Amino acid sequence: MGGRAEKELDVTEQPAVSTAIRALFEPTSVAVVGASPTKLASRAALENLLTLGFEGRIGAVNPRYDEVLGVPCAPSLRELDFVPETVVVAVGRDRVVPVIEEAAEVGARAAVVFGIGFAEAGAEGLAAQQRLREVASDAGMAVLGPNCPGLMNFAHSLALCMHTVEPYEPGAVGLIAQSGSIGTALINNQRGVRWRNAYMPGNEAVVGAGDLLGHMVEDEGCRAVCLFLETIRDPERFFAACDRALERDVPVIVLKTGRTEASMRAAEAHSGALAVPDRLVDALFERHGVIRVQTLEEMLETANALQVAHRPTRGTIATMTGSGGQVEMVLDAAEAAGLEHHALAEETVAALKAILPDSLAASNPLDFWGVADADRAVPVLTEQLAQDPGTDMVVAVVDQQTSLMGGSVFRFQMPFDTALELAGRYDPLFVLLESAGGVSPAERVEEAAAGGALLLSGFDTGMRALGHLVAHSRRVAAPRAVRAAPAADGTAPLPHERSFSGAAALEHLAGHGIPIVPTRRVRGADEAVAAAVELGFPVVAKLADEHITHKTEAGGVITGIAGEADLRAAAARLADAGHEELLIQPQLTGVELIMGVTRHPALGGFLVVGLGGIWTEVLGEVTIVPLGLAEGEAERVLTGLRGHELLSGARGRAPVDLSALARILEHLDTFALAHGDTIASLDINPVIATPTGAWAVDALIVPTTTEPETPEAA
C-alpha cells in the first residue's frame, strides 16, 4: 500500500534542495535533536561526531539534559547558541515534522531523519512524509530519509548515523544503499573495497539516489560509485547523473532488486518503493552506461576492478595457470563474461616453447604445470604473454593456500610479486585471479591495487568483473553519437483520440517516412476484385474498421487469397458478419518482425523489436531500447536479435534488406520522440522484410487519452 500511495508524491525539480546537498556531505556544523546518553540511535549519532574527530561545531538538543557526552544541550534548536547547518532528527515519527519545521525556521540547510512509519506504513505515514517534503522543499532543505540509518563521509570525518561507526581510512568508492542492512554488509566487506562515503537514503522523501550520485561523481577523489537500489524514484535526475558519471569516467555499479514480482512487492512494503518493470530498467541501464550486477560479491569485485586507471577496450586476455582443470574453468568463465582468449602471435609461441617442456603446449590459456625451475620460468612466461601484441590483460590464476596442501609461495606469492614487478613496465593490465572466492585478505587486494594490478576473487565473479571493466572502458573510449532529436513543430497530430489501426494508422506512419504496403479501401466484392487486379494476386483481405483493434482475433483477416473466386467468397463471408468495407493488400513473402513503442509514466518511451509470425512464440523474446537511437544503433539492435540469422539468410534464404529495416526503426524512433507523451503505445505487426525492402503491413496506435477498450472493440 505504501508503494502505490507514493505515486501521489511530487517529484518536481527542486534546485534549492539540490544546492543544499553539500551540507549532507561536508557540513560545517551539526546538531543532534533527541540526543540522549541512553538511547542507542541518538547517542551513536552524537558519539560518532566525537569519535571520528568531526572538525565543525557540534550541538545537542533535548529539554531533559544540560549536556550529553560532554556536549552542551539546549531545549530546542531555537535556543542553541549557533545555527546548525545540518540537523540529525533522532525522534519518533510524530515529532519529526515539527523538528523539520523548526530546523527550516532557524535556517538549517540539511537534515537526516532516522524515524520510521512514513510512506512505507500506509496513508497516515504517507501524509506525514508529504508534509515533511513540503516543508523541506519550501525551505530549500536537503533531507535524507525518513526511515534511514544515516550517512558516513569518511573523507570528511563525518558519520550522521544511528549505529556506532569506527574511525576508518577513506577510499575512493562511494556507496548509496536503499537498505540499511545491505549498506551495513557492504560497508563491512572484507573484499578490499574501501569506501569514501556511504549514504542510506531510506524513503527518499526529499533527497534521492540521483541527487546523491550527482554530488558523488563531481568529487575528484571518487573513482567509482556502488548502488543498491529497490527503485528509481526520479529517473530523469538519476540517469542524468549516470550520464555525467560516464563523461567523467566514474563507473556506476548497480545491484537492483525487483527482477521478480515477489521482490517488487517486498520493496513496496519495505520503503514504499514504487515498482517499475525490470526489462525497461535494464534497457535504461544499458543506454546510460550503468553496470548492472546480480550479487553483492559481483558488485564488490567489479568495484575493485574499476578503481584501476587501466581502461582495456579489446577484452583479450592471456591466462596462466598451473592446472588443466583451471584452464577449463577459466575458458567457461571468460566466454560468459564476454572476454576472449586470443591466439598468440608466432613470436610469442616460439618464446614460450623455448621455456616449456615438450609435454606442455604454448597456447592461451597457458598451463605451465610441470615446467622445470618454476621460480625462474613463471615470471619469464608471464612477461612473454604481456609482450604479445594481442594481449589486453594478463590473468594469473592464484591460490592463497597456507595449510593442508600446497604452499603460498609457489601458488600465490610468486605470481603476486611478478604481477607487481611487471605492472609498471608493460601496457596490459595484470590480474591475479583466485580460484575460490573471498580467500585473500583485504590488505592483499589493496596492496595489488596500489601496485597497479588487480587481485580478484572467484572464476565466475572475477571474470564478470573484468567483463564489466572492458564494457565500461569501451563506453568511455567511444561515447554514443546521438542522432539529432526531431523538432516537434510540424508533426502531424494523431487523427483520433482513441485507439485506431488499419489504413488510418498506416497512413499516419507513412506521413512520417515509414514505408507501408500498398493498401486499398473498398466496399463490396466488385471493388475488392478491382483492387486485387491492380495490386496483383495473391492478396490479403482485412476489416477496414479502424477501431476494431484486434482484427485477427475477430476473424477479420483472410490471407493467401489466390484468385477472384476466393476473394469474392472472402468478401461475402465478411459481409455476412456485418463488414462491408474492407482493406485489400498484396500478400508479401519475407521475414516477419514486430516493431513498436511503449511508454512508461515514470521511465519514458521505449522501442520494442522482435521477430514476428511464428518466431514470436518460438523465440519468445523482444529487444527493448529507450527512445533516442544513436547513429548506427538501429542496425546493431536488429543484428542483436535472438534469431537474427533469419535476417542474414539462414538455411539458404536470401538475406533481407537490413538497411531498410534499420530505417523503419529510425523513423519509428523519430515518430515517437516527436509525438512525445501523446502516444501510450504503438504496434507495427507485422513488418515484412524482403531482399529488396521492408514495409509496415498493419499497425495499432493507442493515444494516451484512450479509454479502456469495450468488449466490442476487443
Side-chain angles (χ1 to χ4, degrees):
M1 180 171 63
R4 288 187 291 274
E6 194 184 22
K7 293 179 183 178
E8 301 168 13
L9 288 176
D10 179 25
V11 291
T12 54
E13 188 70 25
Q14 305 172 76
V17 170
S18 298
T19 60
I21 288 175
R22 182 203 58 78
L24 290 174
F25 282 82
E26 306 170 39
T28 56
S29 57
V30 175
V32 179
V33 178
S36 167
T38 57
K39 293 184 178 180
L40 295 180
S42 55
R43 177 188 174 96
L46 189 59
E47 194 170 34
N48 288 333
L49 293 168
L50 302 172
T51 303
L52 271 61
F54 175 66
E55 296 181 356
R57 195 164 183 184
I58 303 172
V61 174
N62 193 326
R64 297 182 180 181
Y65 304 102
D66 295 326
E67 61 84 24
V68 177
L69 302 180
V71 177
C73 197
S76 67
L77 285 171
R78 297 184 190 90
E79 295 171 80
L80 278 174
D81 60 356
F82 69 99
V83 176
E85 187 172 33
T86 299
V87 174
V88 177
V89 184
V91 299
R93 185 188 77 179
D94 292 343
R95 293 179 56 205
V96 166
V97 172
V99 170
I100 293 296
E101 291 173 335
E102 186 181 12
E105 180 185 325
V106 302
R109 301 292 293 140
V112 177
V113 180
F114 296 156
I116 62 174
F118 288 86
E120 80 281 6
E124 186 178 352
L126 176 66
Q129 182 165 314
Q130 180 68 62
R131 177 57 185 159
L132 184 157
R133 180 183 177 87
E134 290 170 355
V135 172
S137 298
D138 289 345
M141 285 180 62
V143 177
L144 194 74
N147 187 24
C148 82
L151 63 87
M152 287 150 265
N153 189 344
F154 301 110
H156 292 277
S157 303
L158 177 72
L160 307 180
C161 184
M162 64 166 55
H163 304 297
T164 300
V165 178
E166 299 295 331
Y168 179 86
E169 184 68 26
V173 184
L175 173 64
I176 301 167
Q178 290 177 337
S179 163
S181 60
I182 297 295
T184 299
L186 289 167
I187 291 166
N188 292 322
N189 81 90
Q190 298 299 309
R191 305 292 282 261
V193 176
R194 185 170 289 277
W195 305 105
R196 184 169 181 80
N197 42 43
Y199 287 72
M200 290 160 280
N203 289 7
E204 300 184 358
V206 181
V207 170
D211 302 293
L212 297 169
L213 178 61
H215 192 91
M216 286 180 180
V217 300
E218 300 297 340
D219 179 0
E220 292 296 334
C222 182
R223 297 296 304 273
V225 180
C226 293
L227 298 98
F228 174 83
L229 299 179
E230 296 175 330
T231 190
I232 303 172
R233 288 184 172 86
D234 188 345
E236 184 175 355
R237 191 172 303 179
F238 178 81
F239 287 111
C242 293
D243 290 342
R244 177 61 175 157
L246 194 58
E247 287 176 14
R248 290 181 54 78
D249 189 9
V250 179
V252 175
I253 305 160
V254 173
L255 195 167
K256 187 187 176 300
T257 60
R259 297 197 301 270
T260 64
E261 289 292 331
S263 176
M264 287 191 287
R265 289 194 299 271
E268 286 190 12
H270 176 221
S271 61
L274 183 62
V276 291
D278 198 58
R279 291 196 68 182
L280 302 187
V281 172
D282 253 345
L284 285 167
F285 282 171
E286 176 65 26
R287 167 62 55 82
H288 295 280
V290 175
I291 300 163
R292 187 170 191 178
V293 297
Q294 302 301 325
T295 65
L296 296 179
E297 292 79 11
E298 185 181 355
M299 171 181 279
L300 292 168
E301 292 309 306
T302 302
N304 277 328
L306 284 152
Q307 289 182 71
V308 297
H310 278 76
R311 287 292 179 259
T313 58
R314 289 179 292 171
T316 52
I317 59 176
T319 298
M320 293 186 58
T321 175
S323 161
Q326 289 180 347
V327 165
E328 297 153 20
M329 294 285 288
V330 163
L331 286 169
D332 287 344
E335 183 173 334
L339 302 171
E340 176 192 356
H341 280 90
H342 60 288
L344 300 175
E346 291 182 6
E347 57 270 26
T348 305
V349 172
L352 295 176
K353 284 183 175 180
I355 303 168
L356 297 169
D358 293 341
S359 58
L360 296 179
S363 59
N364 183 21
L366 177 63
D367 179 3
F368 61 81
W369 184 256
V371 68
D373 192 7
D375 288 345
R376 181 196 66 83
V378 169
V380 177
L381 292 170
T382 306
E383 190 167 8
Q384 291 298 330
L385 292 178
Q387 293 179 44
D388 187 88
T391 300
D392 217 7
M393 295 173 281
V394 178
V395 178
V397 179
V398 296
D399 290 309
Q400 178 102 321
Q401 297 179 4
T402 57
S403 60
L404 297 181
M405 293 180 65
S408 63
V409 173
F410 174 72
R411 292 184 178 269
F412 183 89
Q413 194 61 50
M414 181 177 57
F416 186 89
D417 292 342
T418 299
L420 294 190
E421 195 275 323
L422 297 177
R425 292 168 45 195
Y426 294 98
D427 290 336
L429 174 63
F430 286 83
V431 182
L432 299 147
L433 180 64
E434 280 192 313
S435 55
V439 177
S440 285
E443 309 86 69
R444 282 292 207 173
V445 177
E446 293 184 285
E447 183 184 352
L454 290 178
L455 174 53
L456 299 177
S457 231
F459 286 120
D460 291 336
T461 307
M463 284 295 184
R464 283 199 299 272
L466 289 181
H468 292 316
L469 170 60
V470 171
H472 175 78
S473 301
R474 288 171 177 167
R475 291 188 184 106
V476 171
R480 292 180 77 247
V482 181
R483 295 166 62 240
D489 296 341
T491 298
L494 296 178
H496 299 285
E497 292 186 355
R498 57 183 287 202
S499 299
F500 62 101
S501 63
L506 289 172
E507 288 164 9
H508 193 66
L509 293 174
H512 291 78
I514 295 175
I516 65 171
V517 68
T519 303
R520 302 291 183 266
R521 186 187 292 266
V522 301
R523 179 176 289 275
D526 290 342
E527 289 187 13
V529 170
V533 170
E534 176 198 352
L535 296 172
F537 285 102
V539 296
V540 177
K542 301 178 181 179
L543 302 181
D545 188 336
E546 59 202 31
H547 296 301
I548 297 178
T549 55
H550 302 292
K551 296 182 180 66
T552 300
E553 288 85 340
V557 178
I558 302 174
T559 62
I561 302 173
E564 179 179 338
D566 290 340
L567 180 54
R568 289 186 179 278
R573 190 170 74 190
L574 294 173
D576 289 343
H579 304 292
E580 292 285 345
E581 197 169 26
L582 305 177
L583 299 180
I584 305 298
Q585 296 174 328
Q587 175 94 44
L588 296 183
T589 301
V591 178
E592 293 188 23
L593 294 92
I594 55 174
M595 293 185 182
V597 175
T598 186
R599 182 168 292 277
H600 186 274
L603 300 179
F606 298 81
L607 295 170
V608 181
V609 190
L611 290 171
I614 63 169
W615 299 106
T616 301
E617 294 182 5
V618 172
L619 299 175
E621 182 175 301
V622 294
T623 293
I624 298 174
V625 186
L627 294 179
L629 293 173
E631 294 294 341
E633 188 174 3
E635 194 157 317
R636 290 193 295 273
V637 168
L638 292 166
T639 56
L641 291 175
R642 187 178 177 192
H644 66 88
E645 296 87 356
L646 292 170
L647 304 177
S648 55
R651 300 195 174 184
R653 298 185 181 185
V656 306
D657 187 342
L658 193 65
S659 61
L661 274 176
R663 284 194 298 274
I664 291 180
L665 196 56
E666 289 176 346
H667 284 307
L668 184 59
D669 182 55
T670 300
F671 173 90
L673 287 171
H675 280 79
D677 59 4
T678 63
I679 292 178
S681 66
L682 185 157
D683 293 307
I684 306 177
N685 185 14
V687 172
I688 295 184
T690 75
T692 58
W695 296 268
V697 173
D698 207 346
L700 167 64
I701 298 176
V702 181
T704 52
T705 55
T706 295
E707 296 294 326
E709 290 184 348
T710 63
E712 291 77 20

